[in-house]
C-alpha cells in the first residue's frame, strides 16, 4: 500500500545505524548490541541503555572464515561480519542469552575481535525451559545480569526502575499484538512487509518512541482503505528473517503474508509478562513462557500446536518454511512440524535460504506453490 503509514518504520529499518548513533548523541546513553530475542531488554533499558538487535546486511562477505566455520548458518556469519566490518562501532557492549551453539560462537568472536566492544555479557539461560528447575535458574541469571549492569554503570537499578522499563516493553508487545490482529481480516489492512518493518524496528528503536509511532498507526488503521488483492494467505516459519526483498516478492505475485512464527516477528513480542510482586521473577518468567524457539522446545514440542493455532487464527492457506542453510535447531524441528501442519490441512513449502544470496530463484517456487493451492481448491 502506498499511503505512507509505515514509512517511519521503513526509514528506521533502513537507517538503524544512523538512528543508534543519533540516540547516543542525544541521550549520552550506552548502546548495546544484543544477540537473540531471549535477551532481557528490560534490564538494559532500566540501566539507561539502548538495546540494538544484531542483524545481517544480506550481502556477500569474506571476513568471517578465520573466526567461525563456513558450515555455520548464513545469519551467524553475516552477524559476525557486521561486527568485524565496523557496522556496530557505536555499541559499547554486546550481550547474548543462550540460543544455539553456533550463535554462541558468533558472540564469542564478537567479544574477542570487534575492537570497539568495551564489555560483554553472556546469560546462560536454561535450554530446557520446561524443567521444574528452569525458572529458578533463569531468575538467578537475570539477577546476576542486574548486578553486573549496576557495577558497570555505577549505580543501583531499583525495582521501580525495572517495573517502569517492564511496563514500556510490555506496552510495546501489546501494541504489536494489536497491529498484527489487523492481519486476521479477510482483506488485511497490514501487509507482511509492513508488519515485519514494525516488529523488527521494535528490536533496535527506543521503545518509547516506537510505542508512540505504533499508537499513531493503530489510530489510522480502522479507516485505512485496502487497495490490493489479498490472494493466498501465507504464513512464514523459521528463525530470523528480515529479508524484505523476499517478502515483497511473495506479496507481488498473488499472496499476502498474514502471520509468522519467527524470532524477527511474533516470537519476539507475542506474550507480555505476568503480574508478580517480584519484578525480576516477572521478567525472567516471561522469557521462559514466550513462544519457544526449537532450541528450547523439549521434551514436549509446544511449538507445534502454537504454530497451528496461529495458522488457524489468521486463516492461513499455506505455510512457507524459511530454513537458514545449516540451521541445526530448525532443521531438526522441520519434519515433525511439517507433518503436524499438513495433517491439519495446511499445505507447506520448504525453502532453504542463504541470506547473502539473491532471492530470484524462489519466485518460481512461490508461483508454483500458488498454482498448486489454486488447483487443490478446484477439487
Amino acid at each position: 500500500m502506498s499511503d505512507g503509514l509505515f514509512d517511519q518504520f521503513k526509514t528506521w529499518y533502513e537507517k538503524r545505524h544512523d538512528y543508534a548513533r543519533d540516540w547516543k548523541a542525544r541521550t549520552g546513553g550506552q548502546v548495546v548490541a544484543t544477540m537473540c530475542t531471549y535477551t532481557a531488554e528490560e534490564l538494559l533499558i532500566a540501566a539507561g541503555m539502548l538495546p540494538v538487535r544484531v542483524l545481517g546486511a544480506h550481502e556477500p562477505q569474506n571476513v568471517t572464515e578465520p573466526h567461525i566455520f563456513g558450515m555455520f548458518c548464513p545469519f551467524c556469519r553475516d552477524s559476525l561480519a557486521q561486527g568485524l566490518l565496523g557496522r556496530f562501532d557505536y555499541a559499547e557492549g554486546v550481550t547474548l542469552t543462550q540460543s544455539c551453539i553456533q550463535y554462541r560462537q558468533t558472540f564469542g568472536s564478537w567479544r574477542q575481535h570487534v575492537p570497539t566492544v568495551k564489555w560483554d555479557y553472556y546469560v546462560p539461560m536454561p535450554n530446557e525451559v520446561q524443567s521444574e528447575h528452569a525458572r529458578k535458574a533463569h531468575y538467578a541469571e537475570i539477577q546476576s545480569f542486574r548486578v553486573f549492569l549496576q557495577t558497570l554503570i555505577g549505580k543501583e537499578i531499583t525495582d521501580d526502575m525495572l517495573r517502569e522499563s517492564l511496563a514500556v516493553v510490555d506496552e510495546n508487545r501489546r501494541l504489536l499484538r494489536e497491529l498484527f490482529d489487523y492481519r486476521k481480516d479477510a482483506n488485511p489492512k497490514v501487509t507482511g512487509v509492513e508488519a515485519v518493518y514494525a516488529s523488527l524496528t521494535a528490536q533496535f528503536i527506543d521503545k518509547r518512541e516506537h510505542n508512540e509511532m505504533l499508537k499513531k498507526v493503530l489510530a489510522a488503521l480502522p479507516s485505512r482503505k485496502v487497495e490490493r488483492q489479498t490472494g493466498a494467505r501465507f504464513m512464514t516459519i523459521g528463525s530470523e528473517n528480515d529479508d524484505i526483498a523476499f517478502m515483497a516478492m511473495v506479496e507481488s505475485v498473488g499472496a499476502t503474508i498474514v502471520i509468522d512464527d519467527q524470532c524477527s516477528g511474533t516470537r519476539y513480542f507475542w506474550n507480555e509478562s505476568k503480574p508478580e510482586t517480584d519484578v525480576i521473577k516477572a521478567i525472567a518468567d516471561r522469557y521462559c513462557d514466550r513462544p519457544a524457539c526449537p532450541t528450547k522446545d523439549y521434551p514436549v514440542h509446544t511449538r507445534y500446536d502454537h504454530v497451528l493455532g496461529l495458522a488457524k487464527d489468521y486463516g492461513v492457506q499455506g505455510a512457507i518454511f524459511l530454513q537458514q542453510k545449516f540451521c541445526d535447531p530448525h532443521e531438526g524441528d522441520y519434519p515433525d512440524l511439517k507433518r503436524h501442519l499438513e495433517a491439519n490441512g495446511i499445505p507447506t513449502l520448504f525453502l532453504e535460504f542463504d541470506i547473502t544470496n539473491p532471492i530470484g530463484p524462489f519466485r518460481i517456487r512461490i508461483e508454483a506453490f500458488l498454482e498448486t493451492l489454486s488447483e487443490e481448491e478446484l477439487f
Side-chain angles (χ1 to χ4, degrees), residues 79-199:
S79 295
L80 176 56
Q82 299 314 296
L84 296 174
L85 293 170
R87 306 281 171 77
F88 288 83
D89 59 1
Y90 50 80
E92 285 92 343
V94 59
T95 182
L96 170 72
T97 298
Q98 169 62 22
S99 53
C100 69
I101 189 65
Q102 292 87 352
Y103 209 45
R104 183 172 176 181
Q105 292 189 46
T106 297
F107 168 73
S109 289
W110 252 76
R111 69 202 304 193
Q112 292 180 53
H113 302 298
V114 177
T116 49
V117 170
K118 297 182 175 64
W119 61 267
D120 58 78
Y121 196 87
Y122 168 72
V123 179
M125 181 180 182
N127 272 344
E128 192 180 346
V129 294
Q130 297 173 19
S131 163
E132 61 180 310
H133 307 292
R135 291 169 186 270
K136 185 176 180 180
H138 196 43
Y139 177 94
E141 295 298 345
I142 294 296
Q143 189 69 270
S144 295
F145 190 24
R146 176 190 194 174
V147 171
F148 169 82
L149 290 172
Q150 288 179 151
T151 303
L152 184 69
I153 65 176
K155 67 178 184 180
E156 182 184 7
I157 300 174
T158 67
D159 284 358
D160 284 344
M161 293 163 70
L162 287 168
R163 289 190 187 95
E164 181 181 349
S165 67
L166 177 57
V168 170
V169 177
D170 272 344
E171 181 181 28
N172 190 253
R173 293 163 178 152
R174 184 164 55 255
L175 292 170
L176 283 168
R177 282 288 297 267
E178 290 179 25
L179 178 70
F180 273 49
D181 279 348
Y182 278 97
R183 303 169 77 187
K184 293 179 180 179
D185 296 348
N187 296 304
K189 293 179 182 289
V190 179
T191 67
V193 170
E194 291 169 338
V196 81
Y197 277 138
S199 62

Side-chain angles (χ1 to χ4, degrees), residues 362-374:
F362 290 132
R363 181 186 179 107
I364 297 171
R365 301 280 303 278
I366 295 294
E367 289 176 334
F369 189 43
L370 284 167
E371 186 173 340
T372 300
L373 293 177
S374 64

Side-chain angles (χ1 to χ4, degrees), residues 44-61:
L44 298 170
I45 294 169
M49 301 174 179
L50 177 69
V52 172
R53 173 85 186 278
V54 176
L55 300 173
H58 303 281
E59 60 188 18
Q61 56 79 27

Side-chain angles (χ1 to χ4, degrees), residues 352-366:
E352 188 175 61
F353 260 69
D354 181 336
I355 62 174
T356 62
N357 286 340
I359 63 164
F362 290 132
R363 181 186 179 107
I364 297 171
R365 301 280 303 278
I366 295 294

Side-chain angles (χ1 to χ4, degrees), residues 28-40:
Q30 290 195 40
V31 179
V32 185
T34 63
M35 294 184 171
C36 185
T37 53
Y38 277 97
T39 298

